Amino acid sequence: MPARIDVPGLGPMYFPDNMSDAEIRERAASALERQPKRREPTENVGPAPSRGKVSAEDVYGHLMGSGMFTPHLATGVIGNLIQESGLDPSAVNPDSGAYGMGQWLGPRKKALFNYAEAMGTHPSDPRTQMDFLLHELRTSENKAYSSLLNAGTPEEAAKIFSTGFERAGKDESRDAARMQHARNLFNR
């Protein structure tokens, strides 16, 4: 069972029980350094960026650039985002109202919108959504991230991310498709 530590500036984070205090301090400091910096706000956030899907390569580059992922973990996450939205940052589920690449819903959707406002961007901005996903994994969804670190294959990463982060409904999970997307990306 991962140990929960409250990290100033980040909130609760979860670490494997076998980590030393020095490793925990180093990982927490690294996560704090990787927090995205507030972008200069514009006078008016304005209309949403142009509609359209983001490439899997762009998402992969962003995730890998965070220093939080290995290739099999990143492709597991992207396999989920493909299944959730087809990598469309403007996607809206017509039934639930879930929004964006990660199909955020309820309080998490509100948190995405608040995050975008604080960053001076639009909630449908792909970079904002990727930064928000990383922010959640460092903070409120750190338990899901800690579980993800145990995955040994892209398929395992996709399943763990689906269960721990996306928490898709029983009729919507389609884990086999998420896992196949992850494997296909990993094999590119």
Side-chain angles (χ1 to χ4, degrees), residues 47-63:
S50 62
R51 285 186 157 275
K53 296 179 182 180
V54 177
S55 76
E57 292 76 16
D58 286 345
V59 178
Y60 181 83
H62 199 89
L63 295 178

Side-chain angles (χ1 to χ4, degrees), residues 113-166:
F113 277 66
N114 291 339
Y115 182 87
E117 182 179 359
M119 292 292 141
T121 63
H122 195 279
S124 67
D125 175 66
R127 183 172 153 202
T128 297
Q129 288 187 19
M130 289 184 280
D131 286 345
F132 181 70
L133 184 146
L134 295 171
H135 169 76
E136 280 194 309
L137 290 173
R138 291 182 186 117
T139 59
S140 59
E141 298 295 325
N142 190 255
K143 190 171 183 178
Y145 177 65
S146 292
S147 295
L148 183 64
L149 294 175
N150 294 317
T153 67
E155 293 86 354
E156 287 176 7
K159 176 69 173 159
I160 290 169
F161 194 80
S162 174
T163 303
F165 183 88
E166 291 293 348

Side-chain angles (χ1 to χ4, degrees), residues 78-109:
I78 298 166
N80 274 272
L81 299 178
I82 290 170
Q83 186 61 35
E84 289 290 325
S85 65
L87 297 179
D88 182 350
S90 298
V92 178
N93 181 308
D95 297 325
S96 68
Y99 183 80
M101 289 190 290
Q103 289 294 279
W104 287 276
L105 186 62
R108 289 175 70 191
K109 177 181 174 182

Side-chain angles (χ1 to χ4, degrees), residues 18-92:
N18 61 350
M19 277 188 123
S20 71
D21 288 344
E23 289 172 311
I24 289 172
R25 281 192 300 277
E26 182 179 316
R27 186 174 287 178
S30 177
L32 193 56
E33 286 174 11
R34 289 190 306 264
Q35 282 289 95
K37 305 297 183 248
R38 186 182 195 291
R39 297 180 205 135
E40 288 302 312
T42 60
E43 289 222 357
N44 178 1
V45 172
S50 62
R51 285 186 157 275
K53 296 179 182 180
V54 177
S55 76
E57 292 76 16
D58 286 345
V59 178
Y60 181 83
H62 199 89
L63 295 178
M64 293 301 291
S66 74
M68 294 174 62
F69 297 92
T70 58
H72 75 282
L73 298 178
T75 55
V77 170
I78 298 166
N80 274 272
L81 299 178
I82 290 170
Q83 186 61 35
E84 289 290 325
S85 65
L87 297 179
D88 182 350
S90 298
V92 178

